Amino acid sequence: MNRYIVSAAGTVFFLFFFFHLHQAEALEQEVHKKFLVPPPPFSQGIFPCSQCHQGMPANKAPRKLEMMHQDIALHHMPGGWCFDCHNPDNRDTLRLANGKIVKFSESYNLCGQCHGTILREWKAGLHGKRTGMWNGEKQYLLCVHCHWPHDPEFKPITPLPPPVKPSDIK
Amino acid sequence: MEQNDNKNSGLNRRKFLQGAALGLAGMALPLDRADASFWESFFQKHFREMNDAEIKKVLSRLEKECEIKYKKAVKIGNEKAMPGVMFGYGLDLSRCIGCRRCVYGCVDENNQSLDPQIHWITVLRFKKGEKWVDLENAEKYYNPDKVPQDDYFYMPVQCQQCENPPCVRACPTQATWKDPDGIVVIDYNWCIGCRYCMAACPYGARRFNWTEPNRPAEKINPNTHYLGNRPRYKGVVEKCTFCIQRSRNGRYPACVEACPVGARKFGNLLDPESEIRYAIKHKRVFRLKEDLNTNPKFYYFFAYGK
């Protein structure tokens, strides 16, 4: 009799343990899902940002930039300023609105603060370009590979030549 | 009365035809071509009736022929359809900018003829707001400086890999068929070039080689598949195969990788986690000429506005 009780208790314990493990694993995947992305498209010689900004005090006042970065016109969010996205305490990282620090290679989290529906579709593989294996490892492009973050609208490009018309075939 | 006539002539109609057929057959056999390769190709069996050893022999013969013709080693593969896979394609029309990168990506991957030019993908341009389902009158020769233009949208069309393909039914030699993963393929060694399949295809997706396909050796993609992008012959029909040589090895088709805006989606329709299933579940998808009951596996959708 005693034996049965022990084995039943063992089974229950095992099931509970297994269930718990399974839950924990699922949670783990949810939190730490990594997207394989190529390195961010920095302009030549500009990264790490700290090579210039080391020891430079962060000036949080919005103003017209004159020394460097004059080419950046912030069309993305009029009235915004660098530190809406860039981390003033460590220029080699980005910062979310809630203060969380994000690496440049995970900048999609930053874009997703406002463009949540797009981020959801990007994760599902619907928005943006994925390469690699359809049944295996996929490479995702970061938002900034296609959209210049300071002026993100996709720029028109030159089309490749049209097909030869049947009347032009010699 | 008629019979009497035959007796008198000493040569009846049946005997005459037999003789004529023998004579014609004799004329048709080019006895001066004695090389083994020629006779082997002459008596090659239908692809689906060959066993693995026979296919292997055929492939090595074809590889040798390609090497002689192009002076370049070409690998001709024979990857079979994977079990549990049904390929589906998605195209986000709200993103396509009509740049034709997919067209030329396809040409480079699939060894199409450069002159005369053969394209498997046609990008159509439609004016926004006008009647646009009129595919035959759509503009495909548009050539502005920059795309996308404000008042237009674009729609690439290629083989729709129908579940119920009219081209397959039309083929008198069974040189084209649908493989288990849904890809409609052509055996270029069995195609007799009658172009019935082209007449049957409602999407204009098949192309015919009027002359010897013209492609310089340095532009030949050597990774090929028997039913896909191996160099074709004069007088055969060819078409998009979802890049069979890539997709059966797990890779995305070349047009997916060429698209700069990521409008093209590809995956396994039987896998609920695939992006094509996500599109079908979450977007309003449509298929071209659905009323014809061809049941294409090519889904168009509009993900968002601009």
Side-chain angles (χ1 to χ4, degrees):
Chain A
M1 190 65 184
N2 221 357
R3 206 176 58 194
Y4 290 117
I5 292 171
V6 169
S7 75
T11 312
V12 168
F13 179 75
F14 177 76
L15 280 176
F16 179 76
F17 180 74
F18 185 76
F19 179 72
H20 195 77
L21 199 75
H22 192 71
Q23 280 283 79
E25 200 179 338
L27 206 69
E28 184 99 344
Q29 275 179 358
E30 189 63 37
V31 173
H32 292 292
K33 179 151 190 212
K34 287 277 177 203
F35 297 97
L36 187 69
V37 293
F42 295 118
S43 316
Q44 202 68 37
I46 210 153
F47 196 81
C49 307
S50 54
Q51 65 189 344
C52 296
H53 284 277
Q54 196 75 53
M56 197 189 276
N59 183 350
K60 296 187 180 177
R63 63 194 185 281
K64 197 173 182 329
L65 295 177
E66 277 159 3
M67 300 269 286
M68 274 296 279
H69 302 311
Q70 298 97 325
D71 53 324
I72 294 175
L74 196 62
H75 292 305
H76 188 177
M77 202 173 54
W81 183 240
C82 312
F83 300 124
D84 294 336
C85 301
H86 293 273
N87 179 9
D89 304 324
N90 176 5
R91 298 304 176 88
D92 297 340
T93 57
L94 298 164
R95 198 178 64 174
L96 302 187
N98 64 8
K100 212 179 144 209
I101 309 299
V102 199
K103 286 189 280 187
F104 273 95
S105 57
E106 288 169 20
S107 56
Y108 47 84
N109 289 318
L110 188 82
C111 309
Q113 294 179 115
C114 298
H115 308 282
T117 51
I118 304 275
L119 178 65
R120 188 180 63 209
E121 305 222 314
W122 179 82
K123 285 179 175 170
L126 209 66
H127 183 100
K129 180 163 162 173
R130 293 211 289 197
T131 54
M133 315 284 274
W134 59 263
N135 59 355
E137 200 164 72
K138 296 169 176 63
Q139 189 172 58
Y140 287 63
L141 290 185
L142 287 169
C143 315
V144 291
H145 282 111
C146 302
H147 305 279
W148 170 236
H150 306 111
D151 183 11
E153 195 181 345
F154 201 86
K155 304 291 174 295
I157 57 174
T158 310
L160 293 180
V164 176
K165 285 184 183 173
S167 55
D168 292 340
I169 297 174
K170 299 289 175 292
Chain B
M1 191 67 182
E2 214 172 278
Q3 279 180 341
N4 284 343
D5 281 354
N6 281 343
K7 267 179 197 165
N8 293 341
S9 67
L11 173 74
N12 61 24
R13 180 182 151 83
R14 188 179 180 80
K15 272 200 175 148
F16 171 77
L17 284 178
Q18 277 174 345
L22 273 176
L24 280 175
M27 278 165 66
L29 289 177
L31 294 168
D32 54 325
R33 295 282 307 271
D35 52 303
S37 168
F38 174 80
W39 288 105
E40 274 170 34
S41 68
F42 197 83
F43 291 111
Q44 183 180 321
K45 278 205 258 179
H46 191 281
F47 187 74
R48 284 187 293 178
E49 288 171 355
M50 283 191 270
N51 59 34
D52 285 346
E54 286 169 321
I55 289 177
K56 214 176 147 197
K57 213 173 147 194
V58 166
L59 291 183
S60 70
R61 189 192 80 230
L62 293 172
E63 282 174 356
K64 231 175 278 166
E65 282 177 17
C66 277
E67 199 167 343
I68 291 167
K69 191 170 168 192
Y70 293 100
K71 313 269 183 293
K72 185 173 183 178
V74 174
K75 184 198 140 280
I76 302 180
N78 172 38
E79 289 86 359
K80 299 254 177 2
M82 299 180 205
V85 172
M86 172 77 83
F87 287 123
Y89 208 108
L91 208 151
D92 183 352
L93 292 175
S94 61
R95 305 247 177 264
C96 178
I97 56 171
C99 67
R100 296 200 189 95
R101 300 285 188 279
C102 51
V103 176
Y104 290 88
C106 172
V107 167
D108 287 343
E109 169 68 27
N110 289 300
N111 294 325
Q112 276 108 308
S113 168
L114 298 179
D115 181 29
Q117 183 186 60
I118 287 185
H119 287 170
W120 289 355
I121 304 175
T122 308
V123 186
L124 302 175
R125 184 179 77 171
F126 296 95
K127 201 154 175 62
K128 281 182 187 168
E130 286 185 2
K131 183 190 174 203
W132 67 275
V133 284
D134 191 2
L135 296 175
E136 279 72 18
N137 294 325
E139 171 68 86
K140 67 172 178 177
Y141 302 110
Y142 67 88
N143 194 20
D145 289 339
K146 297 273 179 197
V147 287
Q149 300 153 280
D150 275 348
D151 292 338
Y152 295 95
F153 73 99
Y154 307 88
M155 176 160 164
V157 180
Q158 62 205 72
C159 175
Q160 311 279 308
Q161 315 290 356
C162 308
E163 192 54 26
N164 180 18
C167 52
V168 167
R169 254 174 303 150
C171 179
T173 60
Q174 299 186 16
T176 181
W177 66 89
K178 189 184 69 185
D179 254 6
D181 55 5
I183 301 179
V184 177
V185 294
I186 304 176
D187 182 346
Y188 311 119
N189 285 69
W190 269 72
C191 176
I192 57 170
C194 67
R195 293 174 283 133
Y196 282 19
C197 56
M198 293 174 72
C201 176
Y203 306 101
R206 289 175 165 246
R207 302 284 185 273
F208 184 62
N209 286 284
W210 287 98
T211 65
E212 195 64 43
N214 193 348
R215 195 170 179 84
E218 68 270 15
K219 288 194 175 167
I220 292 275
N221 171 13
N223 297 317
T224 70
H225 190 282
Y226 180 87
L227 300 169
N229 61 338
R230 68 183 165 112
R232 268 81 60 187
Y233 311 104
K234 175 181 174 179
V236 300
V237 173
E238 59 184 57
K239 63 180 272 296
C240 158
T241 59
F242 281 171
C243 280
I244 195 165
Q245 69 284 356
R246 295 168 66 107
S247 53
R248 284 200 180 160
N249 288 319
R251 298 173 66 198
Y252 282 113
C255 48
V256 174
E257 293 198 352
C259 181
V261 294
R264 289 169 166 269
K265 305 293 160 200
F266 180 78
N268 182 5
L269 285 171
L270 304 180
D271 171 15
E273 300 297 312
S274 67
E275 52 255 50
I276 180 69
R277 280 286 291 274
Y278 186 92
I280 292 170
K281 189 173 173 193
H282 295 277
K283 304 292 162 193
R284 286 188 296 170
V285 295
F286 72 93
R287 297 180 287 175
L288 274 188
K289 303 191 183 184
E290 222 164 333
D291 46 333
L292 298 178
N293 215 16
T294 52
N295 203 352
K297 286 189 284 296
F298 201 101
Y299 296 83
Y300 294 94
F301 59 94
F302 292 88
Y304 280 105
K306 201 170 181 182

